[in-house]
Amino acid sequence: HYIEGRIQLAQHALDNKRPVDALNHVFTALESHEKNKFTGSIDLADTYRLQGKIQLKMALYEDAQNSLKLSLEKRPQSARSWHLLAQAQLHTESYSEAEKSVRSAMDIRTIPSMQADLGVALVSQGQIKAGQSLISEALQDQAIGNFLRHAAFGKSLLKQHKFAAAQPHLEKALTFKESANTRADLAYVMWKLGNQEAAFENLSIAMQLDEEENEYVNEISRQINGPQ
Protein backbone atom coordinates (compact mmCIF):
# COMPACT_ATOMS: atom_id res chain seq x y z
CA HIS A 1 0.00 0.00 0.00
CA TYR A 2 1.30 3.41 -1.03
CA ILE A 3 0.71 5.35 2.21
CA GLU A 4 2.19 2.70 4.53
CA GLY A 5 5.16 2.50 2.14
CA ARG A 6 5.77 6.23 2.46
CA ILE A 7 5.74 5.98 6.28
CA GLN A 8 8.26 3.12 6.13
CA LEU A 9 10.47 5.17 3.81
CA ALA A 10 10.24 8.11 6.23
CA GLN A 11 11.34 5.95 9.18
CA HIS A 12 14.18 4.45 7.12
CA ALA A 13 15.38 7.90 6.04
CA LEU A 14 15.31 9.15 9.65
CA ASP A 15 17.24 6.07 10.84
CA ASN A 16 19.86 6.83 8.16
CA LYS A 17 20.21 10.48 9.21
CA ARG A 18 18.33 11.93 6.23
CA PRO A 19 15.69 13.97 8.06
CA VAL A 20 14.78 16.19 5.09
CA ASP A 21 13.91 13.13 2.99
CA ALA A 22 12.06 11.66 5.97
CA LEU A 23 9.94 14.77 6.41
CA ASN A 24 9.06 14.85 2.70
CA HIS A 25 7.84 11.24 2.88
CA VAL A 26 5.65 12.05 5.88
CA PHE A 27 4.21 15.15 4.17
CA THR A 28 3.40 13.04 1.09
CA ALA A 29 1.74 10.33 3.18
CA LEU A 30 -0.42 12.85 5.04
CA GLU A 31 -1.37 14.68 1.85
CA SER A 32 -2.31 11.38 0.18
CA HIS A 33 -4.44 10.45 3.17
CA GLU A 34 -6.22 13.82 3.23
CA LYS A 35 -6.98 13.72 -0.50
CA ASN A 36 -7.72 9.97 -0.63
CA LYS A 37 -5.31 9.84 -3.56
CA PHE A 38 -3.76 6.42 -2.94
CA THR A 39 -4.46 3.12 -1.25
CA GLY A 40 -3.50 2.33 2.29
CA SER A 41 -4.40 3.35 5.81
CA ILE A 42 -2.60 5.63 8.19
CA ASP A 43 -2.29 5.83 11.98
CA LEU A 44 -2.47 9.59 12.44
CA ALA A 45 -1.18 9.55 16.02
CA ASP A 46 1.94 7.61 14.98
CA THR A 47 2.43 9.66 11.82
CA TYR A 48 2.20 13.04 13.55
CA ARG A 49 4.56 11.76 16.26
CA LEU A 50 7.05 10.66 13.59
CA GLN A 51 6.71 14.06 11.92
CA GLY A 52 7.37 15.78 15.26
CA LYS A 53 10.37 13.55 15.94
CA ILE A 54 11.87 14.43 12.54
CA GLN A 55 11.24 18.16 13.07
CA LEU A 56 12.91 17.91 16.48
CA LYS A 57 15.99 16.40 14.79
CA MET A 58 15.96 19.30 12.31
CA ALA A 59 15.74 21.89 15.11
CA LEU A 60 12.28 22.96 13.87
CA TYR A 61 11.11 23.19 17.44
CA GLU A 62 7.86 25.15 16.98
CA ASP A 63 6.80 22.86 14.11
CA ALA A 64 7.65 19.82 16.22
CA GLN A 65 5.44 21.08 19.04
CA ASN A 66 2.51 21.55 16.64
CA SER A 67 2.94 18.03 15.20
CA LEU A 68 3.22 16.40 18.62
CA LYS A 69 0.14 18.22 19.91
CA LEU A 70 -1.78 16.84 16.90
CA SER A 71 -0.50 13.36 17.76
CA LEU A 72 -1.59 13.76 21.37
CA GLU A 73 -5.07 14.84 20.28
CA LYS A 74 -5.37 11.43 18.62
CA ARG A 75 -3.64 9.45 21.40
CA PRO A 76 -3.37 11.39 24.68
CA GLN A 77 -1.94 8.40 26.60
CA SER A 78 1.30 8.28 24.60
CA ALA A 79 4.24 8.76 26.98
CA ARG A 80 6.61 8.99 24.01
CA SER A 81 4.70 11.87 22.43
CA TRP A 82 4.49 13.78 25.72
CA HIS A 83 8.22 13.34 26.22
CA LEU A 84 9.09 14.48 22.68
CA LEU A 85 6.81 17.51 23.18
CA ALA A 86 8.66 18.33 26.42
CA GLN A 87 12.00 18.14 24.60
CA ALA A 88 10.80 20.52 21.88
CA GLN A 89 9.48 22.91 24.56
CA LEU A 90 12.83 22.85 26.41
CA HIS A 91 14.55 23.95 23.20
CA THR A 92 12.23 26.98 22.93
CA GLU A 93 12.81 27.76 26.63
CA SER A 94 9.15 27.06 27.43
CA TYR A 95 10.19 25.56 30.73
CA SER A 96 6.89 25.48 32.65
CA GLU A 97 5.13 23.92 29.64
CA ALA A 98 7.97 21.40 29.30
CA GLU A 99 7.62 20.49 32.97
CA LYS A 100 3.88 19.83 32.51
CA SER A 101 4.50 17.74 29.40
CA VAL A 102 7.22 15.58 30.90
CA ARG A 103 5.15 15.06 34.06
CA SER A 104 2.29 13.91 31.80
CA ALA A 105 4.70 11.41 30.21
CA MET A 106 5.88 10.21 33.64
CA ASP A 107 2.28 9.71 34.79
CA ILE A 108 2.07 7.03 32.08
CA ARG A 109 5.55 5.53 32.50
CA THR A 110 8.89 6.75 33.78
CA ILE A 111 12.31 6.22 32.19
CA PRO A 112 15.62 7.91 33.16
CA SER A 113 15.67 10.29 30.19
CA MET A 114 12.30 11.69 31.30
CA GLN A 115 13.68 12.24 34.80
CA ALA A 116 16.65 14.06 33.25
CA ASP A 117 14.39 16.35 31.21
CA LEU A 118 12.20 17.10 34.21
CA GLY A 119 15.44 18.05 35.94
CA VAL A 120 16.36 20.39 33.07
CA ALA A 121 12.95 22.07 33.30
CA LEU A 122 13.28 22.50 37.08
CA VAL A 123 16.86 23.83 36.98
CA SER A 124 15.83 26.28 34.26
CA GLN A 125 13.03 27.56 36.51
CA GLY A 126 15.41 28.08 39.44
CA GLN A 127 14.64 24.85 41.32
CA ILE A 128 18.34 23.99 41.38
CA LYS A 129 18.61 21.22 44.00
CA ALA A 130 15.53 19.27 42.90
CA GLY A 131 16.47 19.49 39.22
CA GLN A 132 20.13 18.72 39.82
CA SER A 133 19.28 15.55 41.74
CA LEU A 134 17.12 14.23 38.89
CA ILE A 135 19.72 14.97 36.19
CA SER A 136 22.57 13.56 38.26
CA GLU A 137 20.78 10.26 38.77
CA ALA A 138 19.86 9.95 35.09
CA LEU A 139 23.35 10.85 33.82
CA GLN A 140 24.80 7.78 35.51
CA ASP A 141 23.82 6.23 32.18
CA GLN A 142 26.21 8.05 29.82
CA ALA A 143 24.03 7.26 26.82
CA ILE A 144 21.42 9.66 28.21
CA GLY A 145 23.76 12.64 27.97
CA ASN A 146 22.84 15.39 25.50
CA PHE A 147 23.30 19.14 25.16
CA LEU A 148 20.37 20.24 27.31
CA ARG A 149 21.03 17.80 30.15
CA HIS A 150 24.77 18.48 30.49
CA ALA A 151 24.29 22.25 30.04
CA ALA A 152 21.60 22.40 32.74
CA PHE A 153 23.60 20.20 35.11
CA GLY A 154 26.72 22.32 34.58
CA LYS A 155 24.67 25.46 35.14
CA SER A 156 23.24 24.08 38.38
CA LEU A 157 26.77 23.37 39.67
CA LEU A 158 27.91 26.85 38.62
CA LYS A 159 25.01 28.36 40.59
CA GLN A 160 26.26 26.46 43.65
CA HIS A 161 29.81 27.79 43.03
CA LYS A 162 31.04 24.24 42.33
CA PHE A 163 33.12 25.47 39.42
CA ALA A 164 35.51 22.52 39.03
CA ALA A 165 32.55 20.12 38.96
CA ALA A 166 30.67 22.32 36.46
CA GLN A 167 33.52 22.52 33.92
CA PRO A 168 33.36 18.98 32.45
CA HIS A 169 29.57 19.11 32.05
CA LEU A 170 29.64 22.45 30.24
CA GLU A 171 32.44 21.15 28.00
CA LYS A 172 30.48 17.95 27.32
CA ALA A 173 27.35 19.96 26.45
CA LEU A 174 29.33 21.91 23.86
CA THR A 175 30.43 18.70 22.12
CA PHE A 176 26.76 18.19 21.20
CA LYS A 177 25.94 21.73 20.11
CA GLU A 178 27.36 25.26 20.19
CA SER A 179 25.56 27.77 22.39
CA ALA A 180 26.43 31.36 23.28
CA ASN A 181 25.02 31.04 26.80
CA THR A 182 26.75 27.76 27.58
CA ARG A 183 30.04 29.13 26.20
CA ALA A 184 29.55 32.13 28.47
CA ASP A 185 28.94 29.81 31.42
CA LEU A 186 32.16 27.95 30.61
CA ALA A 187 34.05 31.25 30.30
CA TYR A 188 32.79 32.29 33.74
CA VAL A 189 33.76 28.93 35.26
CA MET A 190 37.27 29.09 33.78
CA TRP A 191 37.63 32.65 35.09
CA LYS A 192 36.58 31.54 38.56
CA LEU A 193 39.09 28.66 38.36
CA GLY A 194 41.85 31.15 37.56
CA ASN A 195 42.38 30.12 33.94
CA GLN A 196 42.27 33.56 32.32
CA GLU A 197 43.34 32.36 28.87
CA ALA A 198 40.55 29.77 28.64
CA ALA A 199 38.06 32.27 30.08
CA PHE A 200 38.79 34.88 27.39
CA GLU A 201 38.91 32.25 24.64
CA ASN A 202 35.45 30.92 25.56
CA LEU A 203 34.07 34.42 26.03
CA SER A 204 35.32 35.36 22.56
CA ILE A 205 33.50 32.37 21.05
CA ALA A 206 30.34 33.25 23.01
CA MET A 207 30.43 36.83 21.71
CA GLN A 208 30.84 35.58 18.12
CA LEU A 209 27.90 33.18 18.53
CA ASP A 210 25.71 35.79 20.20
CA GLU A 211 24.27 37.51 17.12
CA GLU A 212 21.32 38.89 19.08
CA GLU A 213 23.56 40.36 21.80
CA ASN A 214 21.58 38.86 24.66
CA GLU A 215 21.99 40.37 28.09
CA TYR A 216 23.31 37.19 29.70
CA VAL A 217 26.45 37.03 27.53
CA ASN A 218 26.99 40.76 28.05
CA GLU A 219 26.71 40.33 31.83
CA ILE A 220 29.30 37.53 31.87
CA SER A 221 31.53 39.69 29.69
CA ARG A 222 31.25 42.59 32.14
CA GLN A 223 32.12 40.32 35.07
CA ILE A 224 35.16 38.80 33.38
CA ASN A 225 36.46 42.04 31.91
CA GLY A 226 35.68 44.15 34.97
CA PRO A 227 37.46 44.18 38.35
CA GLN A 228 37.84 40.71 39.80
Side-chain angles (χ1 to χ4, degrees):
H1 294 293
Y2 179 85
I3 293 175
E4 291 99 320
R6 280 288 182 173
I7 298 299
Q8 288 171 0
L9 285 169
Q11 187 62 63
H12 184 263
L14 180 61
D15 292 342
N16 286 277
K17 297 183 168 56
R18 301 196 326 271
V20 175
D21 292 344
L23 195 57
N24 286 333
H25 286 306
V26 171
F27 283 161
T28 302
L30 286 168
E31 183 185 32
S32 300
H33 169 73
E34 286 166 13
K35 295 182 178 177
N36 293 315
K37 280 167 66 176
F38 294 98
T39 60
S41 60
I42 192 169
D43 183 318
L44 285 173
D46 281 352
T47 305
Y48 283 128
R49 184 178 68 228
L50 177 58
Q51 179 171 283
K53 189 175 179 182
I54 296 164
Q55 289 163 331
L56 192 55
K57 287 272 186 196
M58 295 173 68
L60 301 170
Y61 301 123
E62 299 283 358
D63 290 344
Q65 289 175 47
N66 292 334
S67 298
L68 292 159
K69 285 173 183 175
L70 286 171
S71 178
L72 285 160
E73 283 177 15
K74 303 291 182 184
R75 190 173 297 139
Q77 286 301 107
S78 170
R80 280 190 293 172
S81 294
W82 280 115
H83 189 201
L84 287 167
L85 177 59
Q87 290 175 335
Q89 289 165 330
L90 287 175
H91 279 287
T92 58
E93 300 181 6
S94 307
Y95 298 123
S96 62
E97 289 89 344
E99 180 187 346
K100 289 174 194 165
S101 295
V102 77
R103 286 191 189 279
S104 294
M106 292 169 75
D107 285 343
I108 301 162
R109 68 185 173 101
T110 298
I111 56 174
S113 58
M114 291 176 186
Q115 286 183 274
D117 289 334
L118 176 58
V120 173
L122 292 176
V123 166
S124 302
Q125 293 177 92
Q127 297 178 53
I128 303 299
K129 286 189 78 171
Q132 188 183 75
S133 171
L134 287 166
I135 304 170
S136 177
E137 187 179 335
L139 284 179
Q140 289 174 16
D141 178 355
Q142 292 186 357
I144 282 173
N146 65 13
F147 168 75
L148 285 173
R149 294 163 192 165
H150 280 289
F153 193 56
K155 178 82 151 187
S156 73
L157 291 163
L158 180 160
K159 293 267 191 188
Q160 294 172 327
H161 296 177
K162 297 175 181 175
F163 302 115
Q167 180 187 343
H169 287 284
L170 296 171
E171 289 174 341
K172 184 70 174 175
L174 291 163
T175 66
F176 290 100
K177 175 184 150 183
E178 270 297 355
S179 157
N181 283 10
T182 304
R183 275 284 169 196
D185 282 339
L186 183 56
Y188 183 75
V189 161
M190 300 315 289
W191 176 61
K192 283 292 189 180
L193 291 173
N195 190 335
Q196 301 294 316
E197 185 179 348
F200 285 115
E201 182 183 332
N202 281 289
L203 181 59
S204 174
I205 296 169
M207 302 289 274
Q208 289 169 32
L209 290 168
D210 184 29
E211 294 175 356
E212 296 171 12
E213 295 192 18
N214 77 62
E215 184 52 36
Y216 184 72
V217 174
N218 289 336
E219 174 59 29
I220 297 293
S221 176
R222 283 193 291 272
Q223 291 196 50
I224 290 175
N225 288 306
Q228 293 184 26

